[in-house]
Amino acid sequence: MHSTSDILDIRQVEKSKIDQVDFDNLAFGKNYADHMMVCDYKDGAWQKPKILPYGPMEFEPSAKVFHYGQAVFEGMKAFKDENNKVWLFRPEENFNRINISSKRMAIPEFPKDYFFAALETLLKLDEKWVHPGDGNSLYIRPFVIASENGVSASPSNEYKFMIICCPAKAYYNSPVKVLVADHYSRSADGGVGFAKAAGNYGAQFYPTNLANEKGYQQIIWTDSNSHKYLEEAGTMNLFFRINDKLITAPTSDRILDGVTRKSIIDLARHQGVEVEVRKITVEELVSAAVDGSLKEIFGTGTAATIAFIEGFEYADKYHDLPQIENPYSLRFKKGLQDIQYNRAEDPFGWRYEVKLD
């Protein structure tokens, strides 16, 4: 085993800025922890990672990320339990997925020992930024960008892999209304929809702005060929409860393989709930809403955990969802968070303790 000093160069802040942050009134993604990780790829290899004080960086205007969009990212969270232990949730899934995303964008894959050494060192240094209690977490954003200078239309030969962290509360504080897409598309067959490529999110901002103007917070995307099948929302995978059955779309090269999504599938089945992973049509959703068999829609994601959807619009008609007792969404959110905050047994082996000593 390598020691941390063998793997990382570390330069700590002289004084923490944690006292400047109001943890009771956090806007998501506005405050950042004291340290960040930066690792450069050049001469055909990843160099020694560095832990540095969080701060601005300089790039030349010709850096390829600005011109050809070679950029991928991940979203993770660290949680603190009542005994001040810090836990990650399924971090290997995030590590594997950022390399899957990188490969699709012609970015070199990142070494596992670098990733985990950097992650654990950041959390040890910035442990006080992880607040305990429901809804509190430290959001972790690993990402890679093409940093080589040059405007030739070709993959970069240089990259920066970085990790930054920000304290977070719940992403959605109240139920959301959604618009079912019938014109714009998030991704296409053979494309990069399954990857967490930065451009996937940039491309959906305009249609989401149009939905916001109509009073909707998110779009439920449909397949690009026919707009017949429901897929995912802008920042979330989706679950539909029809009677007592839970339905979610299968992953594909258009749909992100969400870590929270697959965790909810396992958790639901563990609790005896029937889950179908299959295509679901807009027509089936509308029919279920009309005949009353549609009980719930909820979204899942790292930032959102579980977001409750109170209604949807399709073809200029709005459908309210019923108010029901003991919804699956609430039950699964509690079950998931009890594992994340170390309040319950973890039969799946999802928790990953960060050794602070």
Side-chain angles (χ1 to χ4, degrees):
M1 290 289 290
H2 296 290
S3 70
T4 300
S5 59
D6 290 335
I7 295 177
L8 303 169
D9 282 336
I10 301 173
R11 180 160 64 87
Q12 293 183 232
V13 295
E14 292 181 6
K15 185 179 187 308
S16 175
K17 58 181 184 289
I18 195 168
D19 294 339
Q20 302 169 23
V21 178
D22 181 357
F23 281 83
D24 293 324
N25 295 287
L26 291 170
F28 186 83
K30 294 297 184 184
N31 303 102
Y32 289 87
D34 290 321
H35 298 90
M36 63 181 182
M37 186 277 277
V38 181
C39 186
D40 290 306
Y41 181 91
K42 59 184 180 181
D43 301 325
W46 288 104
Q47 307 300 302
K48 192 172 187 179
K50 299 175 182 177
I51 302 291
L52 302 171
Y54 177 89
M57 304 185 72
E58 286 190 357
F59 295 91
E60 290 195 23
S62 56
K64 286 200 171 187
V65 66
F66 301 138
H67 302 273
Y68 303 111
Q70 264 186 295
V72 300
F73 69 95
E74 266 303 318
M76 311 169 62
K77 281 181 176 177
F79 305 89
K80 183 173 282 184
D81 68 17
E82 293 177 353
N83 297 313
N84 285 322
K85 289 185 177 182
V86 174
W87 304 87
L88 290 164
F89 182 73
R90 308 189 74 176
E92 292 225 6
E93 294 284 343
N94 299 101
F95 168 74
N96 291 334
R97 193 171 62 182
I98 199 167
N99 276 339
I100 290 169
S101 298
S102 293
K103 188 174 181 179
R104 180 60 181 84
M105 297 298 290
I107 297 170
E109 295 178 42
F110 197 66
K112 186 174 182 178
D113 55 345
Y114 284 8
F115 182 83
F116 279 91
L119 199 56
E120 294 201 38
T121 302
L122 282 173
L123 291 171
K124 288 175 189 175
L125 290 173
D126 290 340
E127 173 263 331
K128 288 184 171 57
W129 291 81
V130 192
H131 274 216
D134 265 349
N136 294 324
S137 63
L138 188 69
Y139 182 81
I140 303 164
R141 171 57 61 90
F143 63 102
V144 198
I145 60 171
S147 55
E148 183 187 8
N149 300 318
V151 294
S152 60
S154 60
S156 178
N157 289 311
E158 296 180 2
Y159 297 89
K160 282 190 184 295
F161 192 112
M162 302 179 65
I163 304 176
I164 57 177
C165 305
C166 63
K169 287 188 172 292
Y171 195 78
Y172 295 108
N173 292 314
S174 55
V176 298
K177 295 181 179 180
V178 296
L179 180 69
V180 177
D182 59 6
H183 175 66
Y184 292 104
S185 299
R186 176 188 174 275
S187 60
D189 291 338
V192 296
F194 69 93
K196 282 188 78 72
N200 290 349
Y201 296 79
Q204 70 185 16
F205 289 160
Y206 173 69
T208 303
N209 282 347
L210 297 180
N212 293 162
E213 290 171 6
K214 295 184 69 175
Y216 298 98
Q217 288 79 40
Q218 283 280 314
I219 292 175
I220 292 182
W221 297 103
T222 50
D223 69 291
S224 59
N225 294 326
S226 66
H227 295 291
K228 179 180 177 182
Y229 296 101
L230 299 159
E231 298 202 328
E232 65 178 62
T235 56
M236 304 177 289
N237 295 111
L238 290 167
F239 286 84
F240 308 91
R241 177 184 173 184
I242 296 179
N243 291 317
D244 289 333
K245 188 182 297 180
L246 209 55
I247 303 166
T248 189
T251 55
S252 67
D253 57 10
R254 299 187 309 274
I255 298 177
L256 185 72
D257 185 15
V259 177
T260 310
R261 170 192 174 274
K262 65 178 70 177
S263 303
I264 293 299
I265 291 172
D266 289 346
L267 192 62
R269 286 174 172 163
H270 185 72
Q271 293 185 9
V273 173
E274 184 179 358
V275 182
E276 288 187 356
V277 180
R278 64 167 174 84
K279 291 183 176 181
I280 177 170
T281 63
V282 179
E283 182 181 4
E284 182 180 357
L285 181 71
V286 171
S287 295
V290 171
D291 69 22
S293 59
L294 178 65
K295 305 302 183 186
E296 294 179 76
I297 306 173
F298 56 89
T300 63
T302 297
T305 307
I306 290 181
F308 316 113
I309 294 172
E310 63 182 2
F312 69 94
E313 180 186 308
Y314 177 70
D316 296 321
K317 182 169 176 56
Y318 181 73
H319 301 271
D320 252 325
L321 269 67
Q323 299 289 317
I324 60 172
E325 289 187 17
N326 303 315
Y328 284 173
S329 49
L330 216 56
R331 187 206 305 182
F332 299 150
K333 183 175 184 178
K334 182 182 185 303
L336 195 65
Q337 290 188 331
D338 282 348
I339 292 173
Q340 291 171 333
Y341 289 98
N342 193 30
R343 294 191 297 247
E345 291 299 314
D346 176 12
F348 310 98
W350 290 339
R351 271 195 305 262
Y352 179 103
E353 184 178 358
V354 177
K355 301 294 186 183
L356 299 176
D357 298 331

